[in-house]
Amino acid sequence: MDEKIETLKKYVEESSNIVFFGGAGVSTESGIPDFRSVDGLYNQKWAYPPEEILSAPFFYDNPSEFYRFYREKILIDGIEPNITHKKLAELEAKGKVSCVITQNIDGLHQKAGSKVVYELHGTTLKNHCIKCGQFYDFNYVVSHKNDDYTCTCEKCSSLVKPDVVLYGEGLDDSTVSGAVNAIASADMLIIGGTSLTVYPAAGLIHYFRGNHLVLINKSPTPTDSSADLVIHDSLGKVFSCL
């Protein structure tokens, strides 16, 4: 492990345009549950499968059940950035990290101080009325709960929808374009806390043509064999050494 950490430090020192591509494992150490682990949301029992609840058709057809699940399992208030979020923000401030590309929707990278963040799957911090387009923040959705759990617009009483990419919805074109360009121009790509099984997000890493591909994840991924450095350990443990 010590040898791998030293190699990682060497790669960081040699690089000037590092892109970090992260998944659920980045935020689990802040107390946010992931979706696919043994204790993750996809292995808990609900009236409907979580994949169905978190789909666009389900949101419009059954907003009460959507918001019941969303409030209990997705909207987690009071969560703070962990060492990984903070170290990435520090590396950006030092001119090492050019951007963070995340599959997470919690906004913790920005809270830690990262300035350039591509949120592939959207964010819980932004919400809009589906009819009039009125913007609402995280606190509005948390505090404005109707008797049926839904959240509605103060102006027109229509449903408020989180700016989260639900199943059945496409990724935002400008976000994907920015992420692709960042990866394609990076001289180092660090992939962390993701199983690399969720597409199309996972496919973006194939645009990397730089010098060092590093993969940090507790369990093996399909990309391990292509990486210059693979560390099977917690992100917090690794980044605390940088």
Side-chain angles (χ1 to χ4, degrees):
M1 179 64 174
D2 290 342
E3 184 178 337
K4 290 189 174 184
I5 292 295
E6 289 306 312
T7 300
L8 177 59
K9 289 180 178 179
K10 178 176 177 290
Y11 286 173
V12 171
E13 182 64 28
E14 294 173 351
S15 304
S16 59
N17 184 1
I18 303 170
V19 169
F20 179 84
F21 181 100
V26 178
S27 292
T28 52
E29 292 175 37
S30 287
I32 295 179
D34 71 357
F35 283 79
R36 290 176 172 79
S37 69
V38 173
D39 298 317
L41 297 184
Y42 284 177
N43 290 305
Q44 298 177 14
K45 293 183 179 179
W46 289 80
Y48 303 87
E51 300 97 323
E52 183 178 350
I53 297 174
L54 295 174
S55 69
F58 193 94
F59 170 81
Y60 291 104
D61 293 341
N62 197 343
S64 295
E65 187 68 11
F66 171 89
Y67 260 108
R68 188 177 77 84
F69 180 90
Y70 186 74
R71 290 177 183 282
E72 184 170 338
K73 290 298 182 181
I74 307 298
L75 284 185
I76 304 176
D77 202 5
I79 297 296
E80 295 297 324
N82 58 54
I83 187 65
T84 302
H85 299 107
K86 294 174 182 177
K87 282 290 184 178
L88 287 168
E90 288 177 14
L91 288 169
E92 182 188 54
K94 292 177 180 178
K96 286 290 184 179
V97 169
S98 59
C99 76
V100 168
I101 301 168
T102 181
Q103 298 177 82
N104 298 331
I105 57 176
D106 49 51
L108 289 180
H109 285 292
Q110 293 94 324
K111 194 171 185 178
S114 290
K115 304 300 183 185
V116 184
V117 182
Y118 294 103
E119 297 172 304
L120 295 177
H121 296 151
T123 176
T124 61
L125 305 186
K126 299 176 182 178
N127 310 270
H128 289 86
C129 173
I130 63 172
K131 184 176 181 181
C132 72
Q134 177 67 36
F135 169 82
Y136 293 100
D137 63 12
F138 180 92
N139 292 330
Y140 180 87
V141 176
V142 169
S143 59
H144 287 69
K145 180 172 69 174
N146 298 326
D147 291 340
D148 63 353
Y149 285 94
T150 61
C151 180
T152 48
C153 178
E154 287 185 327
K155 292 178 63 177
C156 70
S157 299
S158 296
L159 277 174
V160 171
K161 181 182 180 297
D163 284 14
V164 172
V165 179
L166 302 176
Y167 288 102
E169 296 181 321
L171 304 185
D172 178 72
D173 288 341
S174 62
T175 301
V176 172
S177 177
V180 167
N181 290 334
I183 292 173
S185 62
D187 56 11
M188 179 177 179
L189 176 62
I190 303 175
I191 302 170
T194 174
S195 60
L196 293 175
T197 58
V198 178
Y199 284 82
L204 301 184
I205 66 172
H206 298 303
Y207 288 93
F208 179 64
R209 297 292 183 269
N211 300 322
H212 304 303
L213 175 59
V214 177
L215 207 151
I216 308 168
N217 198 52
K218 288 184 177 180
S219 57
T221 79
T223 306
D224 283 13
S225 60
S226 302
D228 299 299
L229 176 64
V230 177
I231 302 176
H232 289 152
D233 212 328
S234 74
L235 281 163
K237 184 176 179 181
V238 174
F239 272 84
S240 64
C241 297
L242 293 180

